Amino acid sequence: MKVALLPEGLRSRLQQRVEEASGQNVLACYQCGKCSAGCPVAGVMDLLPNQVIRLVQLGLVEEALTSQTIWYCAACLTCAARCPKGVDLPRVMEALRELAMERSGDHLPPDRLPAEALAEWPQQAVIGGFRKYTW
Amino acid sequence: MEAARDREEQHAGHGGEARAGTGRRIGVFICHCGSNIAGTVDVRRAAEAVRGLRGVVYATDYGYMCSDPGQALIRRAIAEQGLDGIVVAACSPSMHEATFRRTAEAAGLNPYRLEIANIREQCSWVHQEEREEATRKAIALIASLVEKVRGDDPLEPLGTPVTRRLLVVGGGIAGMTVALEVADAGHEVILVERGAQLGGRLSQIRETYAALSPLAAPLETLVERVREHPRIRVLLESEVESASGYVGSFTVTLRPALPAAALAGDRGESNQAIGGTQYEVGAIVVATGYELLPLSRLGEYGGGRVADVVDALEFERLLADGVLRRPSDGRVPRRVVFVQCAGSRDPEHGVPYCSKVCCLYTAKQALLYRQRVPDGEAIVFAIDVRTGGRRYEEFAQRAVEEGHVLYLRGKVAKLFRQGDRVIVWGVDTLAGRNVEVAADLVVLAAAVVPSAGAAELGRRLRATTDELGFFREAHPKLRPVESLTAGIFLAGAAQGPKDIAETVSQAGAAAAKVLGLFSRPELVQEPTVATVLEELCAGCGLCVSACPYEARSLNPRLRVAEVNAALCQGCGACVVACPNKACVVRNWRPEQTLAMVGAVLGETPYRSPDAGE
C-alpha cells in the first residue's frame, strides 16, 4: 500500500510550474470524472484524465510525468468543452508533456548525429524526433 | 333473533343521557363520488336496502355529496324530514367529516349526530372486481353506522381558556427570536436559560458562512433587545423542574439550574431544597439547541487527550484571538488538518446522521485560517462535501480555489502525537492512496448532538424525543414546528442539526404558531372524551395508570376516578382497563360498538321505515 506523504508542502514547485505553464487552477477540479467519462482515448490510457489531475492536485507531479496518458492525450478538447469547472485539461496535459520533455532532453541529440544521416533522413522526421521520443 | 334484539335494546337503554326519543328519524346519504363509488357499488340498491333499516326514514344517493348542491340536499332533507341523525356514506371521514358536520350544524342538527360510513377507501376502491360483494359490504357498513347514530348523544364542543403567556426554554438564537416575535406581538414571555448569559452557541462563533459576515454586533443588539423588552422576563441559570396541564393552560415549575456535573445523573438533595417557582403559561417553545459530541467519544482521534487536537467550537475560540496560536505551545500552526464527519455518519461509533453544518463551517474555518496565516496550509478530510443551500456550493468552491484548501476524499483512521506534531493517517480514495500528514493543529468537526438533558426535559414536558435525544415533530414535512404534544412547539437544533438561517426561520414559524394559538378566544376540543360512571367506579386507579395522556386522576374525597377533558384524547385505553365498565368514551359506548358489529353481521332486524321502535 502506497503512502503519499506531503512533506514538502501542498504547493510543490512542480505543481506551481504545471499551473503556470497551463494557466489552469488545478485545485478548481472537484473530481467529478466527466472528462474521463467522455474521453475517446481513455480506453488505452494507463491513468484516466481525472486521475492525472488528482496526482497534480496532491503534488504527486512526478507520477503524472511518468504516465502514458499525457502522451495518449490527442488534445481533442472534448474534456475541456465539457468540464463543469472550466479546467482546460489539454493545457494541463501539454504542460506535463513540456515538463517531461524538459527533463528527458532530446531523444535524438542533433550534435551527435552523423552528418550523413542528417543529410539522408527526412528533416521533418528528425525535428519531430527531437520532441516526441523523450523516453 | 328476537332475543338478540331484546338484549341489544337493553344495552341501548343503559347509561344513556337523554337519548330517549332520539335516533328514530335517521337519514342516509349515499355519495357516488363520480364513478369512484358508483362504478363499483350499486348505490341505488344500497339506498333501497337501507331504507328498510330500523330508524331510517330517508335514504338517497347523489353524484357528489360534498358539492354545494349535495350539501344543500342534506340540509333540505334534515328540514323536510325532521331528521335527528344522519349517516353520510362516502369517502374516509378524514376527508369530509368536518365538512358534513358543518352541513348538519347549518341545518340545525347537532353535528355529533352525524356519522360517516366509509364506502370508498374501505369498500369500492378495494373491491373493484367484486361489484356484488362490494354492494353488500357497503350496505353492511352503512347499517353499522346507522346503529352508531342511533346511540349517539348530541354533544357540545368543549371550550377551554387560553393563558396568553409563553415559556421559551433556551436563550440561544432560536429562543431569543421566538421570544422577541411573540413579545413584540403583545404577549408576555418567560425566557428560561440554563447558562449564565443569553446568546447560546452564536456567542462562540465569529463569522458565518457563506458571506463571512461578523456575528458579534448583531448578536449583541439582539441580546439587548431581549433583555430590555418590557414583556420578556429572562431567567438565567434556571431550568424547568416540572410541567403539567395542557395546551392553553400549562403550569410550569422553574428552578435554579443544576450545576453541569449534576446533569450526569447525580441529583443532590440541596437542589430539591431550593424549590421552584410556578408559572402559568399557555404555550411552550423548546429551543434547547445542540452541543458537539465530546472528543472523549472519539477514541481513534485521540479521545480528547492529544494536544493540539481541538473541536470546531474550540477552533472558533482560537480564531477569536489576535494571533492564531495553537494550544500546546502558542506557536502559529503552519499546517492545519480539518477532519470532517468526526462521529457523524458513523452508526457504529458515533451518530448515524449527517450533522449538516460541518461541511460549510469547515470550509469557512479553513478559509479564515488561510486568511489569518497566508503561508499556512489547510487540508480537509471529507467523505462528501454537502453544500445544499443558496450560495453554499460557491462558498465551498471559493475555499478550494481562492483559499487553496486541499480536500482529500476519505475518513481519517487515526491520529497521534509525534514530537511537536500530530500525525494524521487518512486516505484519498480518489487517488487510491493512503495519506499521512504531519499537522501542527487538527480540528475535528465533531457531530452535532442534542444538548445534555434534552431527553430529561422532554420527559418533564411530555414532549417526546427520538432515540438520539432530538425533539420529535408532529409531522416531519407538514407539521415541522409542532411537537407531538399540543401547545409545545420546537425551534432550532433541539429538533435536529440546523444552521443559523434555518434556525431563525423555524423560530419565526414557531412564533407564528404560538401567536395563532394566542389569537383564539378559547380552545375548542372534540367532546368525544372519556367519562366516568361514578356509581360503578371502585376507585381502583387502573385507568390512571392506563391513560397515556395523564388525563386521569383519583378524587381522594369521593374515591372515584376523574377525567381531565382537556387532556383526554378519547383513545379508550381506560375503557379497556376498567374492570367495572365504569369508563365510557362519549358516543363510543360499548353497546354502540356491539350494535355496529351486530349490524355488520346481519343481526340487526329490519323494520319498516315508519314503524319506529
Side-chain angles (χ1 to χ4, degrees):
Chain A
M1 195 181 285
K2 289 182 194 169
V3 174
L5 297 163
L6 298 165
E8 59 161 322
L10 288 186
R11 310 290 292 163
S12 69
R13 192 187 55 83
L14 273 177
Q15 189 188 34
Q16 284 172 34
R17 285 211 52 195
V18 171
E19 291 201 339
E20 279 164 21
S22 65
Q24 303 301 301
N25 180 355
V26 291
L27 283 176
C29 164
Y30 56 24
Q31 288 291 321
C32 69
K34 198 179 175 196
C35 49
S36 303
C39 175
V41 201
V44 294
M45 290 173 166
D46 56 347
L47 289 177
L48 292 170
N50 72 291
Q51 292 177 309
V52 171
I53 300 294
R54 189 61 178 163
L55 288 173
V56 179
Q57 288 178 325
L58 296 179
L60 304 172
V61 181
E62 300 284 353
E63 286 189 48
L65 292 179
T66 58
S67 156
Q68 291 175 35
T69 294
I70 60 175
W71 303 106
Y72 276 121
C73 169
C76 69
L77 304 186
T78 304
C79 53
R82 288 177 177 163
C83 176
K85 294 300 300 292
V87 178
D88 194 331
L89 264 79
R91 283 179 181 272
V92 177
M93 294 294 181
E94 178 63 13
L96 288 167
R97 286 192 292 262
E98 294 280 353
L99 267 181
M101 289 189 294
E102 176 187 297
R103 305 177 132 206
S104 327
D106 289 335
H107 186 66
L108 297 173
D111 56 327
R112 282 193 279 134
L113 288 177
E116 315 87 75
L118 278 176
E120 209 174 301
W121 293 350
Q123 288 184 358
Q124 254 187 313
V126 174
I127 292 167
F130 293 161
R131 291 178 52 84
K132 279 188 182 161
Y133 304 105
T134 52
W135 54 277
Chain B
M1 206 59 173
E2 206 54 33
R5 190 196 313 160
D6 288 345
R7 217 170 33 245
E8 195 276 332
E9 287 186 344
Q10 250 180 340
H11 274 299
H14 178 76
E17 313 163 17
R19 269 191 305 284
T22 62
R24 291 183 181 174
R25 298 196 63 78
I26 295 169
V28 177
F29 301 86
I30 303 174
C31 180
H32 300 187
C33 196
S35 61
N36 274 295
I37 292 169
T40 304
V41 171
D42 185 339
V43 289
R44 290 277 144 72
R45 206 179 108 205
E48 230 161 80
V50 299
R51 273 186 205 115
L53 292 175
R54 176 167 56 177
V56 174
V57 297
Y58 180 81
T60 190
D61 59 279
Y62 187 72
Y64 289 97
M65 215 51 100
C66 61
S67 68
D68 284 349
Q71 293 188 50
L73 184 156
I74 295 175
R75 286 196 299 270
R76 203 163 51 239
I78 292 172
E80 288 173 2
Q81 304 288 329
L83 301 179
D84 58 8
I86 60 179
V87 173
V88 180
C91 53
S92 160
S94 63
M95 279 295 288
H96 279 310
E97 186 176 64
T99 310
F100 291 124
R101 283 200 165 153
R102 281 195 299 273
T103 310
E105 203 167 15
L109 178 66
N110 184 283
Y112 294 92
R113 290 192 49 87
L114 173 142
E115 296 291 345
I116 304 287
N118 181 353
I119 60 165
R120 192 179 74 171
E121 284 84 345
Q122 292 177 356
C123 188
S124 67
W125 277 1
V126 288
H127 300 300
Q128 286 175 17
E129 307 302 321
E130 310 141 296
R131 295 170 55 96
E132 170 58 26
E133 288 87 343
T135 302
R136 290 215 311 268
K137 180 174 173 180
I139 295 169
L141 288 172
I142 297 167
S144 85
L145 271 304
V146 166
E147 281 303 307
K148 180 161 191 312
V149 165
R150 276 163 37 78
D152 278 345
D153 289 319
L155 301 175
E156 293 303 324
L158 302 170
T160 54
V162 184
T163 306
R164 290 179 184 81
R165 187 182 298 116
L166 171 68
L167 171 71
V168 177
V169 186
I173 183 65
M176 290 194 299
T177 303
V178 176
L180 282 172
E181 294 288 344
V182 173
D184 283 348
H187 302 290
E188 275 180 62
V189 178
I190 299 164
L191 178 57
V192 54
E193 162 57 45
R194 190 165 67 187
Q197 59 188 26
L198 294 174
R201 294 286 168 221
L202 254 61
S203 54
Q204 293 174 269
I205 298 172
R206 277 178 58 75
E207 285 130 330
T208 58
Y209 62 76
L212 292 185
S213 48
L215 265 182
L219 182 64
E220 198 179 328
T221 310
L222 205 63
V223 169
E224 271 317 294
R225 275 196 63 206
V226 171
R227 297 181 67 91
E228 301 295 320
H229 204 291
R231 284 184 292 278
I232 300 178
R233 179 162 181 193
V234 178
L235 298 172
L236 295 174
E237 297 180 305
S238 302
E239 64 182 9
V240 176
E241 181 181 277
S242 62
S244 60
Y246 44 89
V247 54
S249 183
F250 293 102
T251 302
V252 292
T253 307
L254 306 179
R255 67 177 178 200
L258 299 176
L263 284 171
D266 178 31
R267 304 238 182 278
E269 276 178 45
S270 56
N271 294 310
Q272 288 168 4
I274 295 169
T277 314
Q278 285 197 345
Y279 297 88
E280 303 295 324
V281 296
I284 300 171
V285 172
V286 177
T288 49
Y290 73 96
E291 55 189 47
L292 295 184
L293 188 73
L295 297 193
S296 59
R297 289 274 305 278
L298 301 166
E300 67 265 44
Y301 296 163
R305 293 181 304 275
V306 176
D308 298 321
V309 177
V310 301
D311 72 20
L313 283 172
E314 174 67 8
F315 188 68
E316 291 285 337
R317 200 186 62 71
L318 297 179
L319 282 171
D321 291 338
V323 179
L324 174 64
R325 297 180 184 282
R326 66 178 195 170
S328 66
D329 53 12
R331 271 177 35 206
V332 175
R334 296 291 157 196
R335 179 183 277 174
V336 180
V337 167
F338 296 86
V339 179
Q340 292 200 200
C341 292
S344 300
R345 302 173 72 191
D346 185 348
E348 290 297 316
H349 313 95
V351 300
Y353 52 86
C354 165
S355 292
K356 195 172 186 185
V357 292
C358 327
C359 283
L360 269 302
Y361 78 58
T362 296
K364 177 203 77 172
Q365 291 184 335
L367 197 55
L368 287 178
Y369 164 71
R370 291 274 293 124
Q371 290 176 357
R372 301 291 291 279
V373 186
D375 61 341
E377 293 179 354
I379 300 171
V380 178
F381 282 93
I383 48 179
D384 290 297
V385 180
R386 298 177 168 180
T387 56
R390 186 161 145 266
R391 300 204 176 136
Y392 287 179
E393 172 66 15
E394 298 93 310
F395 179 73
Q397 291 301 320
R398 184 181 152 198
V400 173
E401 291 178 38
E402 286 176 30
H404 288 158
V405 178
L406 179 67
Y407 274 76
L408 299 174
R409 201 273 167 198
K411 207 153 181 165
V412 167
K414 71 176 280 182
L415 50 80
F416 52 92
R417 190 88 187 174
Q418 196 172 77
D420 66 346
R421 312 195 91 181
V422 180
I423 307 299
V424 179
W425 281 1
V427 68
D428 180 53
T429 61
L430 291 172
R433 307 299 166 93
N434 278 21
V435 178
E436 180 181 307
V437 187
D440 298 317
L441 180 68
V442 175
V443 182
L444 301 178
V448 169
V449 297
S451 291
E456 173 59 27
L457 177 67
R459 279 189 287 278
R460 287 177 196 169
L461 295 178
R462 284 176 287 117
T464 49
T465 50
D466 65 15
E467 70 281 6
L468 301 156
F470 288 115
F471 282 84
R472 271 187 212 276
E473 61 281 308
H475 188 284
K477 304 286 178 204
L478 304 178
R479 295 171 66 194
V481 304
E482 294 159 78
S483 78
L484 285 161
T485 304
I488 301 184
F489 305 97
L490 311 173
Q495 185 199 20
K498 281 188 188 63
D499 70 14
I500 298 166
E502 290 172 313
T503 293
V504 172
S505 302
Q506 197 193 11
K513 286 279 170 194
V514 171
L515 294 174
L517 178 64
F518 286 0
S519 70
R520 295 188 222 164
E522 63 172 12
L523 298 179
V524 177
Q525 202 208 345
E526 284 290 299
T528 46
V529 295
T531 54
V532 177
L533 304 174
E534 291 188 1
E535 66 274 24
L536 292 181
C537 178
C540 70
L542 281 176
C543 58
V544 177
S545 47
C547 180
Y549 303 100
E550 295 184 28
R552 287 268 172 173
S553 56
L554 281 181
N555 182 321
R557 197 170 51 81
L558 298 175
R559 293 176 181 265
V560 292
E562 288 179 336
V563 180
N564 184 331
L567 286 176
C568 177
Q569 303 295 311
C571 74
C574 52
V575 178
V576 179
C578 180
N580 277 8
K581 298 186 169 52
C583 291
V584 178
V585 175
R586 287 200 179 111
N587 282 357
W588 284 104
R589 295 186 313 283
E591 62 270 20
Q592 278 181 289
T593 307
L594 290 172
M596 290 173 74
V597 173
V600 169
L601 297 176
E603 289 173 7
T604 303
Y606 280 76
R607 290 272 179 100
S608 63
D610 52 355
E613 281 185 304

